Amino acid sequence: MKINKKTIICSIAAIIGVFVLIIGLLYWQRNHIIEHIAKDKFAKIESSRNVKLSFDKMNLSGLDNLIITAFKLQEPNKQTFLYIDSLDCKLSLLGMLKREVVITHMAIKNIDLNVIDKREERNFGFLLHSNENKPSESAENNEKRSMYERVTEKLNKVFDIFPEDLKIRNMNINLVHNNYDASLSIPEFNIIDNEFNSQANLKCLNSETQSLKLTGSFSNQNQSFKCDVSSANKERLRMPLVDTLYNAIIKSDTLHFSIQTNEVSDQLELVGNLGFSGLCINHE
């Protein structure tokens, strides 16, 4: 049987054309596809954690730039735990080919984190409890897990999600407790080459606002976070929350904090340090 060269060329051209058409359709519909995948993932989290996740828009700019607007996380009928006005992530193409979400750059604008821990209300229970149906043996082991193990696991996920190239504009953290309120505002927070150097304002109860300086490092590879907190205006660092709870006046030059997770014998190990420079305590 004689095969016509023209027929072969036309067949190859048709296959290539169909392939290009499929790629083009996938690219054209990429925003709908990724939004559908996200909503499916969110639905599973909502079911297992009794929490509501929502966003206004989610789309890809190009092939690897994910943009999410008006992201909100909250328990039903409770105050919003987390709100992000704009989240811009650069994804690893190699990671996407492996069906893994690897973020190489993240830029966040206007983030509000509200933590409420009162007798009549707590808005972060979803972080501590899961509604997933597991085998009885696994459920029993899960109940026996200590707070140390749970916190270590959560921190390990944080190190996996957040990249070493991070930019945050206008971050507000609010803590509400039965005995005290506190708010921390950070106008700008950048991690460049694993290092950060930022300013922050801390307001506790009826005390005066403190201007703080935050310096330290963050590493995905070493899964470590280090931070030194000092006064930005050369005054001593005050701790009004501790003053209120323990009727003591505590001041220091610098607060040193570090935390790291290590994998030891297939288990996660949490290592941390907390220290003070120039600590002064007066008890009344």
Side-chain angles (χ1 to χ4, degrees):
M1 179 180 172
K2 189 175 180 181
I3 301 176
N4 194 313
K5 282 187 177 181
K6 187 175 181 180
T7 302
I8 296 175
I9 293 173
C10 289
S11 299
I12 294 174
I15 293 172
I16 294 174
V18 171
F19 180 75
V20 171
L21 180 62
I22 292 173
I23 296 297
L25 286 172
L26 289 174
Y27 182 80
W28 182 46
Q29 294 292 324
R30 68 193 186 284
N31 291 331
H32 296 287
I33 294 172
I34 195 168
E35 189 170 319
H36 176 76
I37 294 173
K39 286 183 176 179
D40 184 58
K41 294 288 186 181
F42 284 1
K44 292 179 180 179
I45 296 173
E46 289 175 344
S47 176
S48 65
R49 291 286 176 175
N50 190 32
V51 68
K52 178 67 176 177
L53 298 99
S54 63
F55 57 87
D56 183 22
K57 292 181 180 179
M58 177 182 290
N59 56 71
L60 277 172
S61 176
L63 291 174
D64 59 353
N65 198 39
L66 178 64
I67 301 173
I68 304 174
T69 59
F71 175 82
K72 184 185 293 186
L73 187 156
Q74 68 181 120
E75 289 190 351
N77 303 317
K78 292 185 180 180
Q79 186 171 329
T80 300
F81 176 77
L82 175 66
Y83 177 82
I84 299 175
D85 188 40
S86 174
L87 177 62
D88 191 332
C89 301
K90 190 83 169 179
L91 305 177
S92 167
L93 288 174
L94 180 60
M96 286 192 288
L97 291 174
K98 296 179 179 179
R99 290 189 170 186
E100 298 176 352
V101 178
V102 179
I103 302 173
T104 59
H105 167 79
M106 181 182 291
I108 302 174
K109 292 181 181 179
N110 302 327
I111 175 172
D112 291 316
L113 176 64
N114 300 297
V115 181
I116 300 176
D117 187 14
K118 303 175 73 174
R119 295 185 185 92
E120 66 276 9
E121 181 182 3
R122 173 184 279 183
N123 72 339
F124 57 92
F126 65 91
L127 293 174
L128 307 174
H129 308 289
S130 173
N131 297 328
E132 287 183 317
N133 293 321
K134 299 180 180 180
S136 58
E137 183 177 351
S138 298
E140 183 179 348
N141 291 336
N142 188 57
E143 290 179 0
K144 292 180 179 179
R145 293 174 64 201
S146 66
M147 182 62 68
Y148 165 84
E149 292 173 308
R150 295 181 184 181
V151 170
T152 303
E153 182 180 323
K154 296 289 188 302
L155 283 172
N156 188 60
K157 291 180 179 178
V158 169
F159 284 116
D160 288 339
I161 293 173
F162 284 97
E164 295 174 352
D165 185 2
L166 176 66
K167 295 181 179 180
I168 300 177
R169 300 291 180 275
N170 191 25
M171 178 167 62
N172 298 295
I173 302 173
N174 301 301
L175 173 63
V176 180
H177 192 270
N178 291 309
N179 301 321
Y180 54 81
D181 295 346
S183 63
L184 179 68
S185 63
I186 304 176
E188 188 172 352
F189 184 86
N190 299 326
I191 298 178
I192 302 174
D193 295 330
N194 301 104
E195 305 288 333
F196 62 86
N197 188 337
S198 300
Q199 302 286 325
N201 296 310
L202 176 64
K203 174 71 174 177
C204 299
L205 298 170
N206 297 321
S207 64
E208 295 181 0
T209 300
Q210 294 188 77
S211 296
L212 307 177
K213 182 179 180 181
L214 311 176
T215 58
S217 63
F218 176 87
S219 173
N220 285 122
Q221 185 175 0
N222 298 325
Q223 296 205 325
S224 63
F225 175 79
K226 298 179 181 179
C227 184
D228 289 343
V229 183
S230 58
S231 176
N233 50 19
K234 297 184 179 180
E235 294 182 356
R236 305 201 77 185
L237 191 66
R238 305 188 311 276
M239 302 177 193
L241 288 181
V242 180
D243 297 351
T244 301
L245 292 174
Y246 300 102
N247 194 28
I249 299 175
I250 299 179
K251 296 182 180 180
S252 69
D253 295 328
T254 307
L255 167 65
H256 308 279
F257 173 77
S258 66
I259 196 166
Q260 183 172 2
T261 61
N262 301 315
E263 190 170 340
V264 180
S265 300
D266 296 328
Q267 290 186 341
L268 289 174
E269 179 185 66
L270 177 64
V271 179
N273 290 289
L274 178 66
F276 298 91
S277 298
L279 181 64
C280 178
I281 302 176
N282 293 320
H283 188 273
E284 296 180 358

